[in-house]
Every structure is written in structure tokens, then in C-alpha cells.
Amino acid sequence: MTDAKMRGVRERKSRTRKKGVSLLLNFPYLIWLSLFVIVPMFIVAAYAFTDASGAFTLDNFRKLSVYRENIFDSFVYALIATAVTLILAYPFAYFMTKRSAAAQRVMMMLVMLPMWMNLLILTYSIMNIIETNGIVNNLLVAMGMEKVQMINTPGAVVFGMVYNYFPYMVLPLYSVLSKIDPALLEAAADLGSGGPSRFRRVILPLSMPGIISGITMVFVPSVSTFYISQKLGGTSVNMIGDVIESLVNRVSTRNLGAMLSLVLMVVILICIMIMNRFSDEEGGIML
Amino acid sequence: MNQNQKLIELHDVSVSFDDQKVLDALSLSIRDGEFVTLLGPSGCGKTTTLRIIAGFIEPDEGDVFFGSERINGVPPHKRQVNTIFQRYALFPHYNVFDNVAYGLRVKNVPKAEIHERVHEMLRLVNLEGLEHRKITKLSGGQQQRVAVARAVINRPKVLLLDEPLAALDLKLRKDMQRELKNIQKQLGITFIFVTHDQEEALSMSDTVVVMDGGRIQQVGTPTDIYNEPVNAFVADFIGESNILDGVMPADYKATFAGHTFDCLDAGFTLGEAVDVVIRPEDVDIVAPEQGMLTGVVTSVTFLGVHYEIIVDIRGFKWMIQTTDYCGEGETVGLSIEPDAIHIMKKSEYSGRYGDYSTFSDEMEEINQIPEEAEDD
């Protein structure tokens, strides 16, 4: 055999060995993934297309139209919450990249802090603050002003979502913004770009992958939000997540709940695919 | 425009970063159409000077003039200068065409004109046909050309170049040196070029500004700088030189290395201590009995064109470039013509350079470490 051929054989052998090792290392993860992600999805699908007795049916699908409004509302709230989060998080993340390394660490800490606390506790705290007889209203009364109805309004729900998902927007934005080479901004200034032009032509396009990633990470959980909307929105808001929760909790409507989950899942998947297409075109990568 | 008109002037410009003085009352004037090189070791303030002209750094003290207008406080995007950055700083999200078109788009130049001028520029830098190539898919030399085109397309009065060739390999660097020089001649604009490479500075510039420690050491044509260095720093930084302590016993006489030589310098006070510069290529190797000085060869290096030999004369290591082979340990004679001897006044740099026991200051420091360690 020639040297080149020998090398080829050796390379092929080592490649198969590498493949074997990587499969072995991935094995526990694959088991985990299939047991707790893939199998449950099939179970949801199975429930969606059966009735309470376990017989195949498309009835659940036909009943969906009742919840058209909830789905629509969920998307509207999620869109508003995502937009507000983006508008708040972008300047914050940009401001962060301009601070000293020590200040950046502290700010990152503060952003992450709420993520380490339980959602229930956070939501109850927000309730405490904005209740009819809560902290804010007491303060207003003490200052001689009238009480403001905050809890049980759509605004409170949006506030709750923004508060909860803010870190998921800041992190990817911060990550792309901090990677922009300052020399590029100098180059843009050198070529005649003032502040707004530098932002539009250099900073914004270069931070696109982070924006896409942040939007996805906020929008997806926002659409399927429940609990926050119950506690903060009361009866004023009925999001699809809450509907699913109440359907699944009753045995008689469990299958319908499964169908609704399935539909929501598919819609979200389509959204993510569209988003991914976007970020591919920008040449960026998902976080 | 008038070639001799001053285009850029710095008056007593000082800058400090964190209490460290980077530029110390620096004054410099640059004429229109000139190719000026700021040359010096890293940390000498050359890049800072360039960034002051570009507007990225505001001087703490002093004035910057562009033409007759004081431009302190004018932001970079309102100055009629363009920069080629050290690592090019090309926009990764744009292709070649969009990078080059950037400056024109910002100025809202009509589309048809942008198209025409970008293509003209790409022709100038030999990048035709690569308009739609991604920046990340270009070689170093091609990126360099895009950087040139992107800056020059704006028709700046002054082009600032911050070590633009540092990232290229030697041969490509030589080609780009010639190309940049050609572009400068063709466009007739002022180039201010920053480099730490003395060869690059000498071969490209009309005027070389040698800097160290935030101050200008010498301004002059490349030949002036090489032949008439003002102090030991310039003599050592530009080319190779043997720098010796000497005295002037009389006009046209210099005593160093234990011998009194004829020279061409006069006007010093009698017996004044001076620094003497002798370039390695100006020393002739002769038979020991014919030499003005004699010494022992301690090392020989073959460099292709010539040998570089180190000769020990009374403990001082001379570097001599010769085409005649000498063996290590051989005793040789040295002969020096009067016009090969350059006399400089003593300066703060005296005694710091000029001996060839080691080539670099760094090596000298490394060699000293074991001694210090033993002291501990």
C-alpha cells in the first residue's frame, strides 16, 4: 500500500473511533432527551387525537375554534411584552458594554438575580406592590393622590411578563454588543457617520443575531405564559396557557387541552423557524 | 494646491492617559501632498499623534490646525481625513462593494455615482470582480486593499495610515509599500504613515519624524535622518550603528577608542565630550599593522550580501559589515574614513545604545537576570 493510502485508512479508522466515542458520551443525554422530551410529546399528540375512552377522534380539533380569541390574545400580549422588553433591554445592554469590567459584572448580577428566584414568589411580590391596597397605592394615598387600578389589568400582565423575561433578552443582546470591535465604530465615524448613522449602519446590523435570539427567548415563553396572567390579570386576561391549564386539570377535557397544547407547540415551532431563517440571512448564529 | 502650504499643524500638544504622559508638548507641521512617516518604538506616541489628527483623541493641551482652522473638538466624522486602521476594521456585515461605498452612502451620494466611483476605486486597488465577495473570504492583502479603497474613495485631504502593513508577510509588504506610494503620487494627497519599521519609513517617505517618549527626536528626509542623526536614539533606531564616547580635541579631529581620527565636524568647544556614530558598512577591514584600530573578531554571521562581524576593541563590541571573510578569533585592523565619522552632541540617550554585546535592549535585560537572582 502507498503511504497516502495507508494514511487514508488510518484516518478513516480514527474517524470511526471518534464517532464511537462521541456516541458513547452522548448516550446518557440521548436517553434523557427521548424519555423526557420526545416521548412526552408523543403522549401529548396521542391524547390530542383521542377521546376520554382512548378511541381515535378528530373532535378535539373541531372544538378548537372556541379558543380562537384566546390564542389571538396570547399572541398580541406576547408581541407587546416582547417589544417592550426589547426596547428596554437594548439600551440597557448597550449601556452595560460601555462600563468598566467591574461595573459590568455587578450589572450582570443584578439582571440575573430575579432568575434565581421562584416564579411564584416573584409574582406574589409584584401583586403585593401593585394591589388595590398595595405598596404603590398606599404611597399614592399618603401623598394625597387617588388610588390607581393596576392589578387585574392587561397592563399588569404585560408588566409581569416583561419583568420575568427581561434577563433572557439582555443576555443575548449583551453578548453580541460586547463583541462589536470598537475599531468598527471608529471606522464608521472616520467615514463620516455621526451617532445615529453609526447605530443604524453598524451597531444594529451587527447585533441582529442577538436581537433575533432575544426575541425568540422572550416571545416563546410569553405566548404560553400562564399563572402570571392569572395572578396579575385576574379575569381581564385569559391567555391560552391558562386555558390549557384549566382544561388539562379536568379529566373530562384533558384531551382537548392536549390538542390545544399541540397546536400551540406547532405555531411556536413555525415562529422559531421563521426567526432562524432571519438570523441565517444575517450570517449570525442562534445563542 | 501649493506643495509648500502647511496643511496640518500641531502646537505644543500634550496628552496623558492615567497620569502617564503619552505626548509631551509635541509640535509638528505637515505640508500638503507630503508623505510623512511617524517612526518610533511602541509606546513612543506615534499612534496617539495620528489619532489626535483623526479626532479620536482630544489633546489635554495644545492646538490642532487643519489649514488655517483650529479643529480641537471637531468630531471625527466632520474632519476631512480618513484612516486606514491597523487591523483594517472592515465591516464584517458588508461585502467589498458595500464597505467601499460606506462613506459615499453616508453622504447620500446618488446611486449611479456611487456605483461608478466604487468601481473606479476597485480598479485602482486591483480588486475588480470581487465586489460581492464577503470580507471574511478575503486574504490579508485583499483586505488591505479594501481598506485603502474605502478610505480613499472619500477624496480626503489627508490619509492616515496606522501601521497598515504590519499584518502582512515580508514580500507582500514590499509590494504594498510600492503600491501605497504609487497611490499617493497618483492622487497627490497627504499621507501620514505610522510605523515602527525603519526600513519601511526610509523607503517610502518624503519626511520622517522619529519619535520616542512622547517627543519628536528628529524631523528630516530619510537621507538626513540616516546620515545626520541628532542623538544616540535616532542613530540606533535607524539602521545599525556603533556609538562611542568621544571628545573633540580640535576642529575636524575626534578622539575615541584610544585613537584620534580626522573628521568633517567642527564648531564644538575644545575637549567637548560627544557621541560618535560609525555605521557598520563604513568601516574597512585591513591588515592589523595598517589599521587605525585593532581588535579581535568575536563572531561572524553570513547574511548573504555580506558578513556581519563583531570585533572587540578595548571591550567595546563593534559591528562591521564586510564582504571579506574573517575567522573568529582573528586579529584585524580597522580603517575609518573622515566622512564615515558622524559627531553628535551628548543627550539623555548617550551611553544607552551602540554596543553590540547584544542586539536588543530586551536581550540585555534577559542576560542581567541571573546576576540579580544571585544577589538575592
Side-chain angles (χ1 to χ4, degrees):
Chain A
M1 242 190 294
T2 64
D3 269 8
K5 264 188 195 161
M6 292 260 283
R7 212 178 305 126
V9 170
R10 229 176 296 137
E11 267 169 23
R12 226 170 300 137
K13 265 187 190 162
S14 84
R15 224 177 295 145
T16 31
R17 199 175 313 137
K18 261 187 208 152
K19 236 183 191 172
V21 170
S22 90
L23 206 67
L24 197 72
L25 286 174
N26 277 322
F27 194 64
Y29 180 67
L30 288 176
I31 297 259
W32 177 272
L33 200 68
S34 42
L35 261 183
F36 296 105
V37 180
I38 304 195
V39 171
M41 281 219 238
F42 277 104
I43 296 176
V44 170
Y47 268 92
F49 290 103
T50 50
D51 59 22
S53 65
F56 177 81
T57 174
L58 286 175
D59 262 7
N60 296 325
F61 194 74
R62 283 184 209 110
K63 283 182 204 153
L64 276 182
S65 58
V66 180
Y67 303 105
R68 204 187 297 143
E69 215 163 292
N70 298 108
I71 293 182
F72 181 77
D73 281 358
S74 292
F75 273 85
V76 171
Y77 280 114
L79 277 175
I80 294 172
T82 309
V84 172
T85 315
L86 179 63
I87 289 165
L88 292 178
Y90 199 102
F92 179 83
Y94 186 73
F95 175 78
M96 222 163 116
T97 62
K98 299 285 163 224
R99 300 299 109 182
S100 69
Q104 288 189 28
R105 269 196 299 279
V106 171
M107 289 170 83
M108 185 57 84
M109 246 316 251
L110 291 175
V111 170
M112 304 271 278
L113 210 55
M115 286 171 80
W116 300 336
M117 276 175 239
N118 190 290
L119 171 70
L120 304 184
I121 296 171
L122 286 178
T123 308
Y124 268 101
S125 312
I126 295 174
M127 282 170 70
N128 250 311
I129 295 168
I130 64 172
E131 262 168 355
T132 318
N133 293 311
I135 296 171
V136 174
N137 273 334
N138 284 344
L139 212 66
L140 287 178
V141 171
M143 289 192 302
M145 283 182 273
E146 273 183 41
K147 283 184 183 180
V148 178
Q149 176 65 37
M150 286 174 291
I151 199 152
N152 299 339
T153 61
V157 177
V158 170
F159 176 79
M161 294 201 281
V162 169
Y163 181 87
N164 249 293
Y165 303 130
F166 187 72
Y168 300 94
M169 186 65 92
V170 170
L171 291 180
L173 287 177
Y174 171 74
S175 145
V176 288
L177 286 171
S178 60
K179 273 190 220 118
I180 295 179
D181 182 358
L184 293 180
L185 300 182
E186 285 188 351
D190 189 74
L191 294 166
S193 271
S197 160
R198 284 202 290 277
F199 176 74
R200 191 165 64 83
R201 290 172 191 273
V202 181
I203 300 172
L204 191 62
L206 284 176
S207 56
M208 223 26 151
I211 294 177
I212 303 280
S213 172
I215 287 178
T216 314
M217 284 170 78
V218 172
F219 182 75
V220 171
S222 294
V223 169
S224 49
T225 291
F226 69 108
Y227 192 77
I228 295 177
S229 38
Q230 277 172 37
K231 290 294 163 195
L232 300 180
T235 50
S236 72
V237 179
N238 214 359
M239 288 187 61
I240 197 69
D242 298 313
V243 173
I244 292 172
E245 195 210 4
S246 69
L247 289 176
V248 171
N249 277 340
R250 249 176 296 136
V251 179
S252 60
T253 54
R254 186 161 291 165
N255 301 77
L256 180 56
M259 175 54 85
L260 212 47
S261 304
L262 193 66
V263 169
L264 187 60
M265 216 144 65
V266 169
V267 173
I268 287 173
L269 272 178
I270 291 170
C271 289
I272 291 178
M273 272 154 65
I274 294 171
M275 287 295 205
N276 268 335
R277 171 67 55 82
F278 247 118
S279 80
D280 282 351
E281 274 170 12
E282 294 294 337
I285 25 124
M286 293 288 291
L287 269 167
Chain B
M1 211 185 270
N2 186 350
Q3 272 278 318
N4 290 317
Q5 197 175 330
K6 280 175 189 166
L7 186 59
I8 289 177
E9 266 183 284
L10 305 181
H11 280 307
D12 292 327
V13 167
S14 295
V15 178
S16 302
F17 296 142
D18 302 326
D19 293 334
Q20 176 126 25
K21 211 146 209 168
V22 181
L23 288 186
D24 190 2
L26 180 132
S27 295
L28 175 65
S29 65
I30 291 164
R31 282 175 288 118
D32 196 21
E34 203 176 11
F35 195 124
V36 180
T37 299
L38 307 180
L39 174 66
S42 55
C44 73
K46 55 191 192 300
T47 296
T48 306
T49 308
L50 197 77
R51 291 172 64 79
I52 283 175
I53 297 169
F56 299 129
I57 298 176
E58 277 303 317
D60 300 335
E61 288 164 48
D63 302 311
V64 185
F65 289 95
F66 190 96
S68 54
E69 190 191 347
R70 186 173 177 275
I71 56 167
N72 291 52
V74 175
H77 66 274
K78 291 194 176 141
R79 297 192 180 192
Q80 287 172 292
V81 299
N82 284 112
T83 307
I84 293 175
F85 291 84
Q86 205 164 52
R87 283 182 320 269
Y88 317 137
L90 299 175
F91 302 117
H93 55 299
Y94 289 146
N95 61 20
V96 171
F97 185 97
D98 293 334
N99 262 280
V100 177
Y102 191 99
L104 300 184
R105 292 219 169 110
V106 169
K107 285 177 204 86
N108 290 321
V109 173
K111 254 197 170 135
E113 191 189 333
I114 290 179
H115 196 263
E116 192 184 318
R117 278 170 69 179
V118 170
H119 279 99
E120 183 192 330
M121 268 304 134
L122 292 177
R123 255 199 307 283
L124 180 76
V125 298
N126 285 320
L127 280 180
E128 270 174 299
L130 294 183
E131 292 87 344
H132 303 295
R133 191 69 64 88
K134 283 186 103 174
I135 289 302
T136 46
K137 296 264 163 27
L138 297 178
S139 70
Q142 288 170 330
Q143 291 189 12
Q144 166 77 68
R145 287 154 199 264
V146 175
V148 171
R150 184 180 71 171
V152 168
I153 198 170
N154 304 294
R155 297 172 184 162
K157 287 248 178 71
V158 179
L159 189 65
L160 309 173
L161 304 98
D162 186 5
E163 306 217 22
L165 307 178
L168 305 179
D169 66 61
L170 186 66
K171 293 207 164 159
L172 187 55
R173 193 153 69 214
K174 296 226 163 184
D175 284 336
M176 285 309 294
Q177 284 174 8
R178 189 161 344 116
E179 216 164 289
L180 283 175
K181 186 76 197 163
N182 284 341
I183 288 173
Q184 193 251 344
K185 274 189 200 147
Q186 217 172 318
L187 302 174
I189 57 179
T190 310
F191 272 38
I192 304 177
F193 190 96
V194 162
T195 184
H196 62 264
D197 182 334
Q198 42 107 1
E199 212 174 298
E200 199 164 272
L202 294 181
S203 64
M204 294 175 83
S205 326
D206 300 323
T207 303
V208 178
V209 178
V210 185
M211 294 178 68
D212 185 55
R215 270 168 303 170
I216 292 176
Q217 302 298 330
Q218 189 170 2
V219 181
T221 63
T223 35
D224 281 352
I225 299 269
Y226 189 83
N227 293 332
E228 307 285 333
V230 294
N231 61 32
F233 172 80
V234 178
D236 179 72
F237 196 77
I238 312 289
E240 302 290 350
S241 20
N242 301 293
I243 305 171
L244 298 102
D245 288 324
V247 285
M248 299 292 284
D251 278 353
Y252 307 112
K253 295 276 179 202
T255 306
F256 55 92
H259 183 93
T260 301
F261 293 82
D262 291 327
C263 69
L264 303 179
D265 295 82
F268 292 85
T269 50
L270 227 61
E272 184 174 342
V274 291
D275 286 334
V276 180
V277 180
I278 293 152
R279 296 289 185 185
E281 69 272 20
D282 292 341
V283 180
D284 293 322
I285 300 277
V286 294
E289 57 278 8
Q290 291 166 9
M292 300 167 177
L293 303 168
T294 52
V296 180
V297 176
T298 60
S299 94
V300 181
T301 313
F302 179 58
L303 291 179
V305 190
H306 53 73
Y307 294 97
E308 190 174 276
I309 65 171
I310 305 291
V311 179
D312 189 325
I313 299 171
R314 300 168 143 218
F316 189 94
K317 309 269 194 199
W318 289 60
M319 184 211 268
I320 294 156
Q321 291 166 353
T322 172
T323 49
D324 303 321
Y325 178 79
C326 304
E328 236 169 84
E330 219 174 287
T331 302
V332 293
L334 268 52
S335 166
I336 303 164
E337 296 293 316
D339 66 356
I341 296 169
H342 173 63
I343 309 291
M344 305 181 301
K345 287 211 179 275
K346 283 279 176 193
S347 70
E348 56 176 310
Y349 293 104
S350 297
R352 278 170 54 187
Y353 304 102
D355 177 278
Y356 279 90
S357 307
T358 55
F359 285 87
S360 63
D361 298 345
E362 200 178 321
M363 197 61 200
E364 214 145 291
E365 275 166 34
I366 292 169
N367 284 345
Q368 277 165 6
I369 288 170
E371 287 172 32
E372 282 169 22
E374 277 165 15
D375 288 346
D376 292 336

